[in-house]
Amino acid sequence: KESHDKFRGWVSVSIAGDVDVSFKKVGDGHPLRLWKCSVDVEAPPEVVLERIKDERHVWDEDLLKWHTVERIDNTTDVFQYERNSLPPHPSTHFCVLRGWKTNLAKGSCALVSTSVDHPKAEAHEGIQGVVLVSHFLIEPCGAGKSRIIHMSREDFRGRTADWYKKSYGHILVSKLDRIRESLHQSAAGPESVV
């Protein structure tokens, strides 16, 4: 519902490219904005879900390490990953509880993540980031294509509120661009004659 709402508190942002970007303030006492981005990609929803969930190393150029800490069931796990940061910032690591669905209305898929503490998570040097919200809704939009709607609110720790206001939207646009490009490349290839 929230992913399709364009009015209630959402402020549209103009960032170069064809990724739609908006944000809104959340009244929970945490100063970070909730960001929403959307883009069309050349792959069906289940392929997109797999790329985002299990093939992060293909599209996240800052990914250093990743592994599943615990598989809870067929659609839920605890996942840990570490991302490189621009110097002088140390790397940032995250431990998230992830859940996904592939049987939503009209063939849509979703991936939802939020940070958790887990006794089996590996200790890392650097900064422990916090994923307050990371939601991906992937909807079919005809001809084997999908629309990714990504809602995100992450605390990288050690960054100013001003940095989030000026930079975080650009970071999300870059993230969706890299996911789209990775899917475009995997869909490219010789055409067959039927």
Side-chain angles (χ1 to χ4, degrees):
K1 204 171 163 183
E2 186 83 36
S3 65
H4 292 289
D5 186 358
K6 295 185 183 208
F7 303 108
R8 276 181 267 167
W10 290 102
V11 177
S12 185
V13 178
S14 178
I15 295 179
D18 56 355
V19 178
D20 294 328
V21 183
S22 56
F23 70 86
K24 77 177 191 176
K25 294 180 181 178
V26 180
D28 65 357
H30 201 292
L32 297 182
R33 298 169 170 177
L34 176 63
W35 289 83
K36 178 170 62 172
C37 302
S38 63
V39 68
D40 291 344
V41 296
E42 295 179 16
E46 289 195 21
V47 171
V48 177
L49 176 65
E50 286 301 310
R51 178 60 48 95
I52 294 168
K53 179 174 70 72
D54 295 328
E55 301 171 356
R56 189 174 185 132
H57 59 283
V58 174
W59 56 266
D60 188 348
E61 61 194 23
D62 295 319
L63 190 65
L64 297 172
K65 297 181 204 173
W66 66 96
H67 73 281
T68 301
V69 176
E70 181 183 355
R71 186 86 159 174
I72 296 170
D73 60 33
N74 288 340
T75 61
T76 314
D77 68 11
V78 176
F79 185 73
Q80 191 171 18
Y81 59 99
E82 183 176 1
R83 299 188 75 240
N84 196 18
S85 296
L86 289 174
H89 297 284
S91 63
T92 308
H93 56 94
F94 299 88
C95 184
V96 295
L97 175 66
R98 306 186 306 175
W100 55 91
K101 293 249 184 224
T102 57
N103 55 353
L104 298 174
K106 299 178 185 173
S108 296
C109 297
L111 172 67
V112 178
S113 305
T114 191
S115 282
V116 292
D117 289 324
H118 195 281
K120 294 180 184 172
E122 290 180 9
H124 288 277
E125 291 187 15
I127 297 171
Q128 180 160 352
V130 177
V131 176
L132 299 162
V133 171
S134 177
H135 296 173
F136 285 94
L137 176 62
I138 307 145
E139 300 176 314
C141 53
K145 297 182 180 181
S146 302
R147 167 158 283 189
I148 302 172
I149 302 169
H150 180 42
M151 298 177 63
S152 181
R153 195 171 175 222
E154 297 181 16
D155 188 348
F156 289 93
R157 304 281 175 98
R159 312 283 183 154
T160 65
D162 200 41
W163 178 86
Y164 283 98
K165 288 177 187 174
K166 291 179 180 175
S167 301
Y168 195 63
H170 293 278
I171 289 168
L172 292 177
V173 167
S174 176
K175 179 187 207 178
L176 287 185
D177 275 338
R178 287 194 309 265
I179 293 169
R180 175 177 52 192
E181 189 60 32
S182 79
L183 289 159
H184 181 68
Q185 289 173 353
S186 66
E191 292 186 25
S192 62
V193 178
V194 179

